[in-house]
Amino acid sequence: MSITVTPILPRFGAEVSGIDITGPLSEENKREIIDIQNRWGVTVWRDTGLDDDSHVAFTRIFGDVILAPKTRGRPRFAHPELFDASNLDADGNIVDDEHRRLTNRGNRLWHSDSSFVQERAAQSLLLCHEAPNGGPTWFADTRSAYDDLPQAMKDRLAGLEARHCYFWSRRRAGYPYTEEEVDRFPHSVHPVVHVHAGSGRKALYLGAHARDIVGMEREEGRALIEELNDWVGRPEYIFPVEYRPGDMVIWDNLCTYHRAGDFDESLHRRDMRRTTIRDPQAPDSGDGSVQAMFRQASQTDGRIAGLQDPKS
Ligand code: OGA
Ligand code: MN
């Protein structure tokens, strides 16, 4: 079996084929897949044949799997590792409420998964079970975007750290939090530029959850974050992936951003399930700080008109 790699952009993203990933893999194949992932940042796997079991099993080749936060309402699947990125409830009906609309709006901002906790994500593996026509995910190359920055900007960024907060990106998506309320929620701190361990290349690490630059006036920090987020979103660094059932995309949150594309989620069913690997260099919080964050978020949801009290 020989693995075929077809680049999407010259420096970023590749479609991978020629290997069956539904069963156990040789050490050599695992190594090869990890190398391809490290080199290209985003890999697209068509018609994988994966189900929930084999999705979770395959994910483990990358490292420790983060457990998903509890969803509002009854969970749709048995595996605690599966994040529900769908617009469906446990009966398979489209969920159409204000909470869903706001969450989706937040997902349409460029972001890096779980940057709002220290225990942040490395790879995310998103498997399509059902897709509308249209409803892509967009990906952005934070390594090439860094490489291409003017030297003066690279010098300015050296040593800077950003504070990230889940409630900040929710506020930007339209959740009714005040700036002072966001202040009281947990924040993480990460370097604005880091060396991506898998490739040795430097990458930007900001996105929608990034709120402030440590030690910088709030407005100045905000302007810098916005300028860099806009820079990463330039056409030469981005591409969309459209899905059919069975397709999977793997992105490395430590060298990419992503955002959900536009589609009318109140009309079309979209069933996407995600597994996530913990950054091996991040602290392991044990019970999972991502869960704690979402628990806290659901406790604040009651103030949004039209929301039922979340049960989880
Ligand atoms: C995610 C995510 C985007 C999408 O699962 O982390 O941002 O297109 N998904 O579903
Ligand atoms: Mn995401």
Side-chain angles (χ1 to χ4, degrees):
M1 219 160 17
S2 92
I3 302 183
T4 303
V5 177
T6 310
I8 296 170
L9 297 180
R11 294 182 285 184
F12 179 55
E15 290 221 10
V16 183
S17 59
I19 181 166
D20 178 1
I21 55 172
T22 60
L25 293 164
S26 67
E27 289 309 311
E28 190 192 336
N29 281 157
K30 287 184 198 171
R31 189 66 255 158
E32 204 176 344
I33 290 168
I34 291 165
D35 287 347
I36 292 167
Q37 189 62 42
N38 283 335
R39 160 117 198 247
W40 294 100
V42 175
T43 56
V44 181
W45 306 69
R46 298 293 180 192
D47 198 16
T48 58
L50 290 170
D51 58 15
D52 287 348
D53 281 336
S54 50
H55 178 188
V56 173
F58 174 73
T59 301
R60 296 194 196 288
I61 76 169
F62 292 102
D64 292 342
V65 182
I66 296 173
L67 297 186
K70 295 235 175 1
T71 48
R72 304 169 66 244
R74 211 149 36 89
R76 290 198 308 127
F77 9 79
H79 298 73
E81 295 89 352
L82 289 175
F83 283 68
D84 191 353
S86 78
N87 60 348
L88 305 174
D89 66 20
D91 300 318
N93 299 315
I94 291 178
V95 180
D96 183 20
D97 64 18
E98 187 61 6
H99 177 277
R100 176 73 64 176
R101 271 189 291 279
L102 292 175
T103 302
N104 285 336
R105 207 181 302 158
N107 242 0
R108 289 175 186 181
L109 303 170
W110 289 115
H111 66 278
S112 183
D113 289 333
S114 310
S115 73
F116 46 79
V117 287
Q118 292 307 129
E119 187 191 36
R120 62 189 181 177
Q123 292 85 3
S124 290
L125 297 85
L126 187 67
L127 177 64
C128 173
H129 289 250
E130 193 175 345
N133 241 334
T137 312
W138 285 83
F139 295 94
D141 180 357
T142 57
R143 290 179 296 191
S144 300
Y146 175 81
D147 288 345
D148 296 350
L149 283 173
Q151 189 57 46
M153 179 59 98
K154 290 182 180 172
D155 293 343
R156 183 172 177 212
L157 299 183
L160 291 185
E161 294 180 317
R163 299 172 73 236
H164 297 240
C165 181
Y166 181 59
F167 296 84
W168 167 242
S169 53
R170 277 166 74 104
R171 174 175 149 87
R172 292 180 60 205
Y175 276 84
Y177 306 122
T178 65
E179 194 90 47
E180 292 69 33
E181 282 174 305
V182 177
D183 282 338
R184 292 197 288 273
F185 288 118
H187 290 62
S188 62
V189 176
H190 302 290
V192 171
V193 177
H194 61 220
V195 175
H196 173 247
S199 62
R201 294 175 62 192
K202 286 186 175 170
L204 287 166
Y205 191 77
L206 290 165
H209 307 302
R211 185 178 186 215
D212 295 306
I213 302 292
V214 175
M216 202 179 274
E217 286 296 333
R218 181 157 266 179
E219 290 316 313
E220 190 189 351
R222 293 266 166 89
L224 180 59
I225 291 168
E226 206 175 303
E227 180 183 348
L228 291 166
N229 284 347
D230 287 349
W231 174 267
V232 175
R234 285 158 62 117
E236 60 264 46
Y237 305 125
I238 67 174
F239 65 85
V241 173
E242 296 279 359
Y243 303 97
R244 298 171 63 83
D247 293 349
M248 179 172 68
V249 57
I250 308 175
W251 63 87
D252 184 336
N253 289 287
L254 300 176
C255 64
T256 68
Y257 300 154
H258 61 283
R259 65 180 194 83
D262 287 325
F263 80 104
D264 189 340
E265 69 266 359
S266 65
L267 287 182
H268 304 288
R269 299 160 53 84
R270 186 170 184 268
D271 185 352
M272 309 292 289
R273 307 179 190 183
R274 196 189 94 201
T275 51
T276 315
I277 297 293
R278 183 166 59 81
D279 173 8
Q281 296 181 26
D284 181 355
S285 72
D287 76 330
S289 42
V290 179
Q291 283 97 318
M293 194 71 59
F294 281 88
R295 229 172 8 249
Q296 202 167 8
S298 72
Q299 282 156 11
T300 67
D301 283 346
R303 71 173 74 179
I304 299 166
L307 281 190
Q308 294 93 15
D309 193 21
K311 292 284 175 289
S312 50

